Amino acid sequence: MNNNTFDRRNFLKLSSAAISGIALNAGLTGVLASPVRKVGEKKTIKLGFVGLGGRGSYHLSAALGIPDVEVKALCEIVPDRLEQAKKWVLEYGQPAPNLYGRGPMDYVRLCEEEDLDAVICATPWDSHSAICLAAMRNDKHAACEVPLVQTLEEAWELVETHEKTGKWASIVIGGFGDLTLLNMVRNDLLGDILHLESGYIHDLRKVKFDPEGEPWRLAYTAIRNGNLYPDHPMRNMMPILNINHGDRFDYLVSMSTKSVMINQYAAAKFGPDSEYATKKLTLGDYNATLIRTTNGKLITLNHDTHTPHPREDFRVQGTKGVYVRDKSRSRIYLDEVSPESHEWESPDKYLEKFAHPIDLNYKPAPRRSGPIRGHGQQSSTTPINWHRLVLALQEEKMPDWDVYDSVTSSAIIPLTELSVNNKSKPVDFPDFTKGNWKTRKPIYS
């Protein structure tokens, strides 16, 4: 098949076997009536949570500290987690939530029975799209941890369900972009952006073997090969390049190394005859993906969760200079502006000058009595993405990341698998906006 002739039907055929996921035909019910509110009255947001592990408990804790938010329902397959989450809700003086713990599909019953504004999904990856679809088909929005989809079929079904029901699914709770960097770009400090480089560079060997961590990640190592976690870098890359908002991804090529690190780690930790010391694995230890946009911009997207390394961050190259964001030493160079020719300078004065108005004007809810619990930043201040999610629900607007942007970010996963499995041949990127990318308003504008 000629890659340049890929259409939606071909994408669905090629992506449907990526991984065995939870069924998408979650139950349908009628539309719930919205209560009439007085002018100026702030709407109370009713939420249900599906998945209460490390990230799910973090999101629950974040939501409980926001005024005008009620947690009405909780769903989790581990009974102890479900009871602990119920205690947290009661600690905030809210009524006991309804509990759903009958098994991995009990989220369907939650979506059918509860009167909610949104469902918050923080389960393992393979169930994300199914939970979001169940919510949307039952007159609820869905805010989901990343990635939103694992296959292109899931991506298209979310788009079509949104267009049919008016309900959205979003990765808004998966993190928040660097708005200062975005403001630097939009104020032309670096000129016309030509190339971005970032990725998910995070040594997760210990996490993958931790039964209390995310051992389900290890299963993907045996059956998948591509860039399996693009959304964290995409939350900066897509707004900087105005993807789906004036530009779009055109095509990509992807290549992976051999897989040896998990075998070596398992042999050292559990013995040379242990299961994962001898098991043949599919996921390359390092994946590098190149993505080209219709406007001629280029992304280098990396994925490495197996090799020993510190965390890495972000590089932005423009026609006027380059900025490298790094936890150890961020730096910038501006052509004919920086004090020394071809020498780095500190970015501090630029970061102060170009602080984004959204950040400057953010006035979070009152500080909590203690830090937010669960797996996340241990802060006692409401995360800005959670603040903006609740505001969008109250104002009945789209969140910062709508369904088109959310599925575009995660669709990189199956597309890279197609390229890797076809000797790194180019793969065309579907246009989930169906041509509307040319006129859509920029994110965070």
Side-chain angles (χ1 to χ4, degrees), residues 285-350:
D285 292 326
Y286 199 102
N287 175 272
T289 297
L290 297 177
I291 308 175
R292 198 176 193 275
T293 78
T294 58
N295 290 343
K297 311 298 180 71
L298 182 65
I299 282 175
T300 301
L301 182 66
N302 303 309
H303 179 269
D304 177 3
T305 59
H306 292 171
T307 68
H309 54 257
R311 297 290 292 270
E312 294 184 22
D313 217 328
F314 207 85
R315 186 182 192 276
V316 186
Q317 178 67 64
T319 55
K320 294 182 179 179
V322 59
Y323 172 63
V324 176
R325 192 186 68 183
D326 190 276
K327 289 185 177 181
S328 60
R329 188 174 74 90
S330 295
R331 50 205 183 274
I332 194 169
Y333 176 75
L334 301 176
D335 193 27
E336 298 185 359
V337 174
S338 292
E340 300 292 335
S341 179
H342 295 97
E343 295 289 340
W344 296 108
E345 64 170 309
S346 168
D348 290 351
K349 64 182 179 182
Y350 304 106

Side-chain angles (χ1 to χ4, degrees), residues 215-386:
W216 45 268
R217 285 183 185 255
L218 192 58
Y220 290 96
T221 302
I223 60 175
R224 310 285 295 270
N225 194 9
N227 190 305
L228 302 190
Y229 209 58
D231 298 277
H232 282 324
M234 281 297 121
R235 68 189 179 205
N236 286 311
M237 289 177 160
M238 286 178 59
I240 286 175
L241 295 183
N242 289 319
I243 299 302
N244 290 344
H245 302 265
D247 198 356
R248 78 173 187 89
F249 293 144
D250 190 4
Y251 62 93
L252 62 74
V253 295
S254 187
M255 183 178 295
S256 294
T257 69
K258 61 183 179 179
S259 179
V260 297
M261 294 302 302
I262 290 295
N263 294 136
Q264 292 181 11
Y265 182 87
K269 295 291 184 180
F270 310 109
D273 297 324
S274 59
E275 178 184 3
Y276 277 90
T278 58
K279 189 179 183 71
K280 181 176 175 56
L281 302 177
T282 301
L283 180 62
D285 292 326
Y286 199 102
N287 175 272
T289 297
L290 297 177
I291 308 175
R292 198 176 193 275
T293 78
T294 58
N295 290 343
K297 311 298 180 71
L298 182 65
I299 282 175
T300 301
L301 182 66
N302 303 309
H303 179 269
D304 177 3
T305 59
H306 292 171
T307 68
H309 54 257
R311 297 290 292 270
E312 294 184 22
D313 217 328
F314 207 85
R315 186 182 192 276
V316 186
Q317 178 67 64
T319 55
K320 294 182 179 179
V322 59
Y323 172 63
V324 176
R325 192 186 68 183
D326 190 276
K327 289 185 177 181
S328 60
R329 188 174 74 90
S330 295
R331 50 205 183 274
I332 194 169
Y333 176 75
L334 301 176
D335 193 27
E336 298 185 359
V337 174
S338 292
E340 300 292 335
S341 179
H342 295 97
E343 295 289 340
W344 296 108
E345 64 170 309
S346 168
D348 290 351
K349 64 182 179 182
Y350 304 106
L351 298 177
E352 181 178 357
K353 178 179 180 180
F354 291 102
H356 197 284
I358 288 177
D359 288 327
L360 292 173
N361 295 327
Y362 176 47
K363 295 178 174 56
R367 292 183 67 84
R368 303 146 189 265
S369 58
I372 297 172
R373 294 176 282 192
H375 175 65
Q377 295 179 345
Q378 301 303 306
S379 170
S380 57
T381 300
T382 296
I384 190 171
N385 55 329
W386 257 102

